[in-house]
Amino acid sequence: MSLNCNEINLILDELHLDGFSIQNVIQPTYSTLLLSLYKDESLSIFFSLAPNECRFHKTTHRFAKPKKPLRFMELLNSRIIGYKIISAEQINYDRIVKFTLTRNDEILFLYFRLWSGASNIILTDNNNIIIDSFYRRPKKNEVTGGAFYIADKKADVSQLNKKFPVREFTKEHNTTLPFNKAIEDEYETREPKLSKENILQQIEFFYTKKIEKLKFDLNKMKKKLSALANANSFKHSGDLLFSNLHLLKKGMDSIEIDDFENNRKVKITLDPLKNPSDNASYYYQKYKKMTSGTQTLNDDIHSIELKIESLNKKFEEIKSKEDIRDLKKALKRIQITEQKSSSKNKTGKEFSGLKFNVDGWQIFVGRTASENDDILRHYVQGSDLWLHTRDYPGGYVFIKAQNKKTIPLPILLAAGNLAVFYSKARRAGEADLYYTHVKHLRRAKGAKKGTVLPQNEKNLFIKLDENILKKNEECRQI
């Protein structure tokens, strides 16, 4: 059953919408609308035009934008954002709510007709000429350019009060609840409900899919790590070749050398196009490349293991909830998160570096040239801070700027420790860094991917601190 005229007045009396500014409009479905307002605090008003469920009320729920922008939502966002509500009233006790909006001396009217058989939301100019409507109905002239007509009739208030009393929803919920909240709870319970088992199945499917994907990635990484385990054999081959350079000649494709360390003969493959020293250097380069990749792989494996542990823990917490409303909220959060993640990054890829949240400050770390370049292109802005080791190759570290806030020294030191830790200076335990804002970075023409030339940089000396590194690891986002 939809709201009656007296319930609409009670909701309006509780909301006190005069003076609120419209900040955003979302149309979650083809029959609902959400207005985000602000005065001294944020306020969200939910409207439903569904048959037998026509209503509006304050809501605390979060709603995701539709994947495809809907016509009326886009129109309202282009026409009424920033407008202030002068008045919000019900006309003639007729279940038609009228918002009078103003900005820069322009007046617009936004009508909400909450009739089950002919519900609609209509935006008009100050002469009631329709700009557009939620449902376009040519037969009723509810189209752009049509005139919105409201019958001028006097309502018998006393008779309407007797005929349509305010329903006492609060008895079924909580006597201390405001009527807006009671209405929201009541209609939630009336909606077609999924069973608890069905909701848990959907949630379990989400977590299982995520965990299985992470386990697949984890197995791939562990196999790769096993392949890197024989890195020392490449160094040993390089040592043997350098010890026996006098035996090598260009054009040889292999050589057998006495390995006195292991008391056996070893056959080592050579490149016939390379000279002896280049063949020996190749094995050292292979060793260096494999050992540098080992640490990155270990970090990634640790990160994925933490993710799997966290997901399992979250799922167990959700399973332990007894109230079906809590389960429904959890499912809704999952759906919103999925929708946001699918549209947030235009590249369609997940963030490839490392994320840390230290005391409310976001820090990004790129460990490879590709990660550095990806973060630079898609995740940072000019006001963000960039850090890098001065005399050692290493990853880029970025501190995300916060509006009207200076980066505290502990955050700068935390980021500096990350810059040293994810560089060749890790073994030395200390290094000079330089840092500057991203807007002062210039891409080097013709250089390798991710290479930048900093300007207006400042110096910072960092000595690795175990306590800071431990805190950073605890603040790592998974």
Side-chain angles (χ1 to χ4, degrees), residues 328-393:
K328 187 178 177 183
K329 286 177 183 177
L331 179 60
K332 197 166 193 176
R333 280 196 296 270
I334 288 169
Q335 291 167 341
I336 290 172
T337 302
E338 284 286 277
Q339 192 166 336
K340 283 184 175 180
S341 63
S342 65
S343 59
K344 191 172 184 179
N345 190 355
K346 294 179 182 178
T347 62
K349 298 187 297 182
E350 291 186 1
F351 185 84
S352 54
L354 302 178
K355 287 182 182 179
F356 298 82
N357 193 313
V358 183
D359 297 335
W361 289 82
Q362 196 79 27
I363 301 175
F364 296 157
V365 179
R367 297 161 296 177
T368 64
S370 295
E371 288 183 2
N372 292 339
D373 187 67
D374 185 50
I375 295 173
L376 269 171
R377 287 181 183 277
H378 303 294
Y379 297 98
V380 293
Q381 298 175 329
S383 57
D384 300 332
L385 201 67
W386 169 88
L387 300 90
H388 189 255
T389 47
R390 182 175 285 279
D391 299 316
Y392 296 90

Side-chain angles (χ1 to χ4, degrees), residues 22 72 75-76 79-80 83-84 86-87 89 91 97-102 106-112 121-132 148 150:
I22 298 174
F72 194 64
L75 170 90
L76 292 184
R79 292 301 302 267
I80 67 172
Y83 276 69
K84 185 176 286 187
I86 299 176
S87 65
E89 58 183 332
I91 300 173
V97 177
K98 176 184 177 183
F99 285 8
T100 303
L101 313 174
T102 183
E106 182 184 13
I107 300 289
L108 295 177
F109 300 133
L110 189 60
Y111 293 96
F112 303 89
I121 303 173
I122 298 169
L123 180 68
T124 75
D125 63 14
N126 61 341
N127 295 314
N128 274 344
I129 302 300
I130 296 174
I131 297 171
D132 208 346
F148 183 62
I150 300 173

Side-chain angles (χ1 to χ4, degrees), residues 16-282:
H16 302 295
L17 294 175
D18 296 4
F20 274 87
S21 295
I22 298 174
Q23 301 290 306
N24 192 23
V25 180
I26 295 175
Q27 188 178 337
T29 69
Y30 290 104
S31 62
T32 59
L33 193 77
L34 187 79
L35 294 184
S36 296
L37 312 176
Y38 186 82
K39 189 179 179 181
D40 298 322
E41 60 181 3
S42 296
L43 177 67
S44 295
I45 309 296
F46 176 80
F47 294 85
S48 172
L49 304 181
N52 297 319
E53 293 183 2
C54 290
R55 67 191 190 277
F56 76 103
H57 50 76
K58 175 183 176 180
T59 183
T60 54
H61 294 326
R62 294 171 61 196
F63 294 87
K65 287 185 178 180
K67 290 182 180 179
K68 293 182 180 179
L70 301 177
R71 170 188 56 81
F72 194 64
M73 179 187 77
E74 293 296 292
L75 170 90
L76 292 184
N77 275 314
S78 67
R79 292 301 302 267
I80 67 172
I81 296 302
Y83 276 69
K84 185 176 286 187
I85 300 173
I86 299 176
S87 65
E89 58 183 332
Q90 181 180 191
I91 300 173
N92 299 328
Y93 275 73
D94 203 22
R95 291 178 294 155
I96 298 176
V97 177
K98 176 184 177 183
F99 285 8
T100 303
L101 313 174
T102 183
R103 190 183 73 174
N104 298 333
D105 298 326
E106 182 184 13
I107 300 289
L108 295 177
F109 300 133
L110 189 60
Y111 293 96
F112 303 89
R113 189 171 61 213
L114 303 175
W115 303 351
S116 284
S119 58
N120 211 348
I121 303 173
I122 298 169
L123 180 68
T124 75
D125 63 14
N126 61 341
N127 295 314
N128 274 344
I129 302 300
I130 296 174
I131 297 171
D132 208 346
S133 57
F134 195 98
Y135 298 126
R136 289 174 175 169
R137 295 191 174 107
K139 289 182 179 180
K140 294 190 176 189
N141 203 29
E142 292 177 0
V143 293
T144 302
F148 183 62
Y149 173 74
I150 300 173
D152 187 13
K153 61 180 182 180
K154 289 187 178 180
D156 187 342
V157 177
S158 60
Q159 186 66 25
L160 288 171
N161 286 340
K162 291 179 182 178
K163 190 175 180 180
F164 301 108
V166 174
R167 288 169 285 178
E168 296 184 358
F169 295 130
T170 53
K171 283 186 178 179
E172 299 173 25
H173 301 285
N174 187 326
T175 54
T176 62
L177 285 179
F179 191 69
N180 273 268
K181 180 61 177 168
I183 284 289
E184 182 176 36
D185 290 349
E186 172 66 18
Y187 278 91
E188 272 192 359
T189 59
R190 291 186 178 195
E191 289 175 3
K193 296 292 182 182
L194 294 169
S195 67
K196 183 177 177 180
E197 292 75 18
N198 198 302
I199 294 172
L200 276 172
Q201 281 177 4
Q202 291 190 47
I203 295 172
E204 185 176 10
F205 176 76
F206 167 79
Y207 280 101
T208 302
K209 186 175 70 171
K210 280 237 171 193
I211 291 170
E212 287 302 318
K213 185 180 182 303
L214 289 171
K215 284 182 176 178
F216 177 77
D217 293 339
L218 185 63
N219 287 333
K220 280 176 64 178
M221 288 180 183
K222 285 184 175 179
K223 286 179 182 178
K224 194 172 180 181
L225 189 63
S226 298
L228 296 180
N230 62 347
N232 285 328
S233 65
F234 287 94
K235 181 178 181 297
H236 188 58
S237 296
D239 291 340
L240 290 173
L241 290 176
F242 268 115
S243 301
N244 296 273
L245 276 180
H246 61 284
L247 300 177
L248 275 64
K249 293 181 181 178
K250 190 173 182 180
M252 296 174 65
D253 58 5
S254 65
I255 187 172
E256 281 195 358
I257 300 176
D258 289 320
D259 181 3
F260 295 106
E261 186 177 328
N262 296 309
N263 237 355
R264 60 191 177 94
K265 275 190 175 289
V266 178
K267 186 176 182 179
I268 302 174
T269 304
L270 303 174
D271 185 345
L273 299 178
K274 291 181 179 178
N275 60 40
S277 61
D278 286 343
N279 266 309
S281 297
Y282 165 77

